[in-house]
Amino acid sequence: MNLLTIEKITKSYTDKILFKEVSLGIQEGDKIGVIGINGTGKSTLLKIIAGLEVPDQGEVITGRNIKIEYLAQHPEFDLSKNILENVMLQDEDSHEKDWNKEADAKAMLDRLGIRDLSSKIEVLSGGQRKRLALVRAILNPADILVLDEPTNHLDNDMAEWLEKYLNQYRGAIIMVTHDRYFLDKVTNRIVEIDKGNLYGYVGGYTNFLELKAQREEMELATERKNKSLYRQDLEWMMRGARARSTKQKAHIERFEQLRDREKPQEEASIEMSSVSSRLGKKTIELHEVSKSYGEKVLFRDFSYILLKNDRIGIIGKNGCGKSTLLKVMNRIIEPDSGYVEIGETVKIGYFSQENEAMNPKMKVIDYIKSVAEYITTSDGSITASQMLEKFLFTGAMQYSLIEKLSGGEKRRLYLLYVLMSAPNVLVLDEPTNDLDIQTLTILEHYLDNFQGVVLTVSHDRYFLDRMVNRIFAFEEDGIVKQYEGGYTDYHLAKGDTPVEEKKQEVVKEEKKIYKKDRSNEIKFTYSEKKEYETIDDDIAALEEKIATLEKEMEKNASNFGKLNDLMKEKEAAEQQLEEKMDRWMYLSELAQKIEENNS
């Protein structure tokens, strides 16, 4: 059953088009993950679905009596009411108190670490407020549950609890999240927003990677054929096309369509050399450091000597002291006891949970140039502008003001600012919060080549499995225990059931060449199938033959007999090429229809 349909909607802010004439349907049982670069309109799409914003064009058709619950990225509350009252607000018009619902609310809040339910909202941190809003959204039965970043501010245990809850949720779900394990565990569809378009994929994140690579390969193959066809049509036009017949008019129209076509862009390689300063023998040494706040012991008597190229992930429940440990290592906070030694060559790059103060009237490129005009890598010098391009800031964006950036784009800019300072010890405090998946992929590839120490606090299990080789886990009574390997290895060592039944391998995000199984993918007749597989080579061979004949004609310009034979042969080859091009157009359109029917 169709619950909601978006039909050819367009939405823009000032001169930026978020999406143009896009359509989407939400069916019963759908669990949809929405992904895309920050600033492309993911949150706006959710608000339109939730009825909080209207599109510039197009319409949203909602089924009769369909109820929608919405979790905002930045939720609002009634500050005059306490925590429990804010969760139960939607029951105010009810004549009878729903004791079962209140019991469920208390259990969920307790599970998410919120226990003093009579307190006012002001006492809650930003992360606690987001978790409170999450409970408020999922507590009420709905046909469509719309969640904007539900995993932000959840520790690993909370995220796994939410996974199980949403897997059992009876309504449809559409959500924005950058947690790749979460997407794989919960969703059965992925919707990607890319350059103003929506692309749909069946399955979770792993399937999305494979299907997107397949789609992009097909688009690029089609573009290669279009280029070849355009060259031939251009030559035909330059010879002097005569629009006498219907066929010739159609030929001219085809030429104009090819000339004005929107060309697909192949994503630039995200492989890059990283930059760091020379790191001497002595890095950072922690000697029996302890830290408490009042009666709460965060960590006690913790010692560790950071090794060159250490990749350390720090995990634990919210509020246990992970960020505090990073600040002690960085000498931002002094320990209560013990001491920290930092080597003379250590240069720390600290990516904190909150962006540093940015001048909103400053241009993006000037902000990056304020730390470095260029950096030197093993591959040579890279300018500030080139690094911005690698971090998804196009030429036009580089000269826009910081105040025009979205929150996620500001996080990405701040990350680049830290990296441009050429640190040799990189301290990342919750780097996966508010960064889109593509930026995380760029960061991961950057860290692959980083010659230095990486310390990260993260609740992103995928990121931890992908990047770290040692875990510092905060346990009871201020004990910080070391485990070798990534997050899944930590779970195995603890004897728990890890995120993927004790066998989760990190999905490699490097683009792989997808070898099509054409016997399954393309269901032409046998002869059409063989023709489609070889038509590219046939076209290339004919183009090469025509080029060779043209060279022969130049050599025999004075030999009229030979020249006449070559011209006839060239005309025959051009006729064959035109027939092949027409045949390619038919086969390509048929292949596209088959793909659409199968998707």
Side-chain angles (χ1 to χ4, degrees), residues 216-226 536 584:
E216 289 178 341
E217 183 187 345
M218 182 171 288
E219 285 179 351
L220 292 170
T222 301
E223 176 59 17
R224 287 194 294 271
K225 292 173 183 176
N226 281 338
D536 275 341
W584 170 84

Side-chain angles (χ1 to χ4, degrees), residues 525-538:
T525 64
Y526 179 79
S527 59
E528 285 175 336
K529 172 178 173 290
K530 300 298 289 184
E531 184 181 7
Y532 187 75
E533 290 176 348
T534 59
I535 197 166
D536 275 341
D537 294 336
D538 295 340

Side-chain angles (χ1 to χ4, degrees), residues 13-16 38-39 358-369 385 388-389 391-406 409-410 412-413:
Y13 282 113
T14 61
D15 58 345
K16 183 177 182 179
N38 286 331
M358 296 180 178
N359 181 353
K361 299 299 182 183
M362 199 173 192
K363 291 180 181 176
V364 168
I365 192 165
D366 292 335
Y367 176 69
I368 294 301
K369 282 184 175 181
S385 179
L388 281 164
E389 285 277 358
F391 277 76
L392 310 177
F393 290 96
T394 61
M397 290 180 70
Q398 292 180 23
Y399 287 90
S400 63
L401 299 179
I402 289 175
E403 66 182 1
K404 293 187 177 181
L405 300 181
S406 69
E409 288 170 332
K410 289 177 182 176
R412 191 194 319 148
L413 183 65

Side-chain angles (χ1 to χ4, degrees), residues 372-384:
E373 295 265 351
Y374 66 90
I375 56 175
T376 303
T377 72
S378 57
D379 296 333
S381 294
I382 301 178
T383 66

Side-chain angles (χ1 to χ4, degrees), residues 564-577:
N564 188 48
D565 292 337
L566 290 170
M567 288 179 66
K568 288 180 180 179
E569 191 175 354
K570 179 173 179 281
E571 287 175 3
E574 287 175 339
Q575 179 64 31
Q576 290 175 2
L577 181 60

Side-chain angles (χ1 to χ4, degrees), residues 409-510:
E409 288 170 332
K410 289 177 182 176
R411 286 294 282 170
R412 191 194 319 148
L413 183 65
Y414 174 47
L415 173 63
L416 180 55
Y417 182 89
V418 172
L419 298 179
M420 287 290 286
S421 66
N424 48 34
V425 175
L426 195 53
V427 179
L428 306 172
D429 195 355
E430 294 291 3
T432 59
N433 278 0
D434 302 316
L435 289 181
D436 56 75
I437 290 175
Q438 195 166 350
T439 302
L440 291 175
T441 305
I442 292 169
L443 174 61
E444 287 160 1
H445 282 272
Y446 186 92
L447 295 179
D448 284 340
N449 299 306
F450 181 71
Q451 299 299 310
V453 177
V454 178
L455 287 158
T456 181
V457 167
S458 180
H459 295 138
D460 189 319
R461 297 156 294 172
Y462 185 108
F463 185 77
L464 291 170
D465 272 341
R466 173 76 170 78
M467 294 312 307
V468 309
N469 53 28
R470 184 167 293 121
I471 294 287
F472 289 170
F474 276 68
E475 302 189 345
E476 299 298 327
D477 300 321
I479 302 300
V480 180
K481 191 172 179 181
Q482 297 176 37
Y483 296 87
E484 295 304 308
Y487 180 77
T488 302
D489 298 309
Y490 156 75
H491 253 303
L492 287 168
K494 291 276 290 181
D496 299 331
T497 302
V499 65
E500 287 291 327
E501 284 79 39
K502 299 190 176 185
K503 57 170 187 171
Q504 178 64 45
E505 291 187 2
V506 174
V507 177
K508 296 297 182 184
E509 294 217 28
E510 293 82 3

Side-chain angles (χ1 to χ4, degrees), residues 279-310:
L279 184 60
K281 290 183 178 180
K282 188 171 184 176
T283 57
I284 299 177
E285 298 181 2
L286 304 175
H287 298 278
E288 298 185 337
V289 294
S290 300
K291 188 66 182 178
S292 301
Y293 285 108
E295 295 182 357
K296 184 174 183 179
V297 178
L298 300 181
F299 47 88
R300 71 173 83 228
D301 300 328
F302 180 65
S303 297
Y304 187 79
I305 297 175
L306 290 173
L307 307 175
K308 285 185 178 181
N309 298 316
D310 254 347

